[in-house]
Amino acid sequence: MDGKKTLYSAIQPTNNLTIGNYAGAISNWLKLQNDYDCYFAIANMHAITVRQNPAELRQKTLSMLALYIACGIDPDKCCLYIQSHVPAHAELCWVLNTFTYVGEMERMTQFKDKSARHAENVNMGLMDYPVLMAADILLYQAEYVPVGEDQRQHLEIARDIAQRFNNIYSPTFTVPEGLFLKVGAKINDLQEPVKKMSKSAENPNGSVFLSDDRDTVIRKFKRAVTDSGSEIKYDPENKPGVSNLLTIYSVFADKTIPEAEAEFAGKGYGDFKLAVGEVVSDRLAPVKSEQAKILADREYLNTVLKNGAERAAHTAGRTLSKVYKKIGFYQI
Ligand code: ATP
Ligand code: LTN
């Protein structure tokens, strides 16, 4: 479209989003939507690799769409859709499975983590997760994929699979590149600041959810773990707690890390934590009220989804048909 390069990303509708998802994914998408032909999906097929409550999954899917729009992702500029609405994802995934080795999948960090966390349900889908993600990206011939740091390994495998297929047949897939932010690509847990902040963390005090009310946000920041010493300085190695808070502040206040350091020079940890909590809740308040308004308009959401799925299916269908031709599937 308009000679713009294509960009693809997705988020699973599991749990409520955290400020980590906002910083690492959505805030980045916002900046990119004007300059690229963007596809943003709700990855419900990825979500079921971990057991979900059906009613909740349905509700979270819509609530995530409303959130995308409330954050400023414009459905007139970007293609917003639900992964399961476009069958080509499952279809290409099957083909790509035959170009992926079991050993490669067993080595994936997220697979190992999630298998340990869900030992009672280490299903084939969990292992196949990266191949489905490769199918998502490759169907749209995406040049760029903005994601958080934790997705780097999955992106590498998507590139490998694309190159493998292109080498065996002829150039078919664009080999995608990850777009990682300098600041915000990894927000850590407030209680264990050396661990990634996650939607499904065990301790809810370590994650700040976009749905948290102001008091909860402030309370979580007040209780955030800081480090020894009293200086407010960015030093992830020796001061992981303070550095994480500075990162959050810089994303939510739209300031650089040195600007944030200068602002808090000479101040105590108490004031600093309060200021971070305030800037985050100030930013979230309008998003939350806008999300509720959008969520109430089911007809509008369904129209967005219908248009999105149509557009996505058109692009994806072209790639799938090319693939089927190359591998020798008879087509009428
Ligand atoms: P879960 O805890 O359920 O595995 P998650 O919080 O890791 O989920 P995903 O749906 O896997 O969220 O990720 C959505 C997007 O948010 C991805 O682009 C991911 O890289 C980004 N992201 C997730 N957590 C963080 C974080 N702590 N900091 C920065 N970006 C993040
Ligand atoms: N696994 C991703 C979500 C995801 C994705 C994608 C991201 C599914 N398909 C395609 C980028 C491109 C995650 O963030 N956990």
Side-chain angles (χ1 to χ4, degrees):
M1 230 219 253
D2 315 333
K4 285 181 181 170
K5 295 201 163 165
T6 303
L7 185 142
Y8 189 96
S9 200
I11 301 185
Q12 308 178 72
T14 47
N15 275 324
N16 291 316
L17 292 199
T18 68
I19 56 169
N21 302 124
Y22 183 85
I26 297 185
S27 75
N28 201 12
W29 300 0
L30 275 176
K31 295 184 199 131
L32 298 162
Q33 64 175 341
N34 293 321
D35 302 324
Y36 296 89
D37 188 14
C38 295
Y39 292 83
F40 296 128
I42 299 171
N44 58 347
M45 291 163 68
H46 279 100
I48 61 165
T49 58
V50 169
R51 206 60 76 219
Q52 303 293 332
N53 171 309
E56 268 178 29
L57 179 61
R58 228 180 328 265
Q59 181 263 322
K60 295 229 155 82
T61 301
L62 273 190
S63 141
M64 176 157 305
L65 174 68
L67 185 75
Y68 281 180
I69 301 171
C71 286
I73 309 281
D74 182 350
D76 291 330
K77 287 188 196 148
C78 311
C79 176
L80 300 182
Y81 74 100
I82 297 175
Q83 190 182 26
S84 67
H85 288 178
V86 181
H89 290 252
E91 294 170 303
L92 182 63
C93 179
W94 180 253
V95 175
L96 298 183
N97 274 333
T98 67
F99 294 87
T100 310
Y101 301 103
V102 172
E104 290 178 306
M105 295 298 100
E106 282 170 339
R107 283 196 294 276
M108 293 282 122
T109 315
Q110 184 183 289
F111 173 65
K112 290 195 277 187
D113 285 355
K114 289 201 176 171
S115 313
R117 267 196 282 150
H118 306 277
E120 74 302 339
N121 181 23
V122 183
N123 61 71
M124 288 302 293
L126 194 61
M127 193 172 181
D128 209 25
Y129 185 113
V131 183
L132 179 59
M133 182 162 156
D136 295 346
I137 301 167
L138 302 182
L139 276 174
Y140 299 89
Q141 306 288 354
E143 264 110 343
Y144 297 110
V145 183
V147 278
E149 201 52 55
D150 61 318
Q151 297 300 313
R152 200 180 271 277
Q153 199 182 32
H154 289 161
L155 209 76
E156 266 319 301
I157 207 78
R159 290 169 56 86
D160 289 347
I161 296 173
Q163 276 160 344
R164 207 169 282 164
F165 191 99
N166 288 349
N167 288 338
I168 297 176
Y169 301 95
S170 54
T172 309
F173 296 123
T174 302
V175 180
E177 259 178 58
L179 278 187
F180 302 95
L181 289 167
K182 285 198 191 72
V183 175
K186 188 161 181 248
I187 300 292
N188 286 339
D189 191 281
L190 297 188
Q191 292 299 319
E192 288 180 77
V194 288
K195 248 180 53 188
K196 177 188 107 154
M197 182 182 288
S198 157
K199 293 191 225 124
S200 39
E202 277 142 44
N203 183 350
N205 288 322
S207 301
V208 177
F209 295 97
L210 300 189
S211 55
D212 284 343
D213 59 34
R214 187 177 179 87
D215 288 351
T216 311
V217 173
I218 304 266
R219 178 173 48 78
K220 285 181 177 175
F221 278 103
K222 275 191 182 158
R223 287 196 194 157
V225 168
T226 38
D227 316 286
S228 55
S230 60
E231 216 187 338
I232 297 172
K233 188 173 93 196
Y234 187 77
D235 177 359
E237 195 119 313
N238 300 306
K239 291 187 150 245
V242 168
S243 304
N244 189 39
L245 292 172
L246 277 169
T247 304
I248 297 172
Y249 186 80
S250 96
V251 171
F252 282 84
D254 250 327
K255 295 193 173 151
T256 63
I257 297 271
E259 280 167 358
E261 281 174 331
E263 210 174 312
F264 295 109
K267 297 234 168 86
Y269 281 166
D271 290 345
F272 171 49
K273 291 199 272 187
L274 184 65
V276 183
E278 278 175 344
V279 83
V280 170
S281 49
D282 286 351
R283 175 71 83 91
L284 296 187
V287 170
K288 275 200 317 226
S289 64
E290 189 60 22
Q291 182 191 18
K293 235 191 281 163
I294 297 169
L295 204 48
D297 192 347
R298 189 64 70 88
E299 204 177 321
Y300 168 69
L301 290 174
N302 284 344
T303 308
V304 168
L305 288 174
K306 193 161 165 284
N307 293 340
E310 257 168 39
R311 205 181 128 199
H314 177 76
T315 313
R318 287 199 356 217
T319 302
L320 188 68
S321 145
K322 224 158 104 181
V323 168
Y324 279 180
K325 198 144 113 207
K326 297 216 179 173
I327 60 175
F329 280 4
Y330 179 74
Q331 287 171 292
I332 306 166

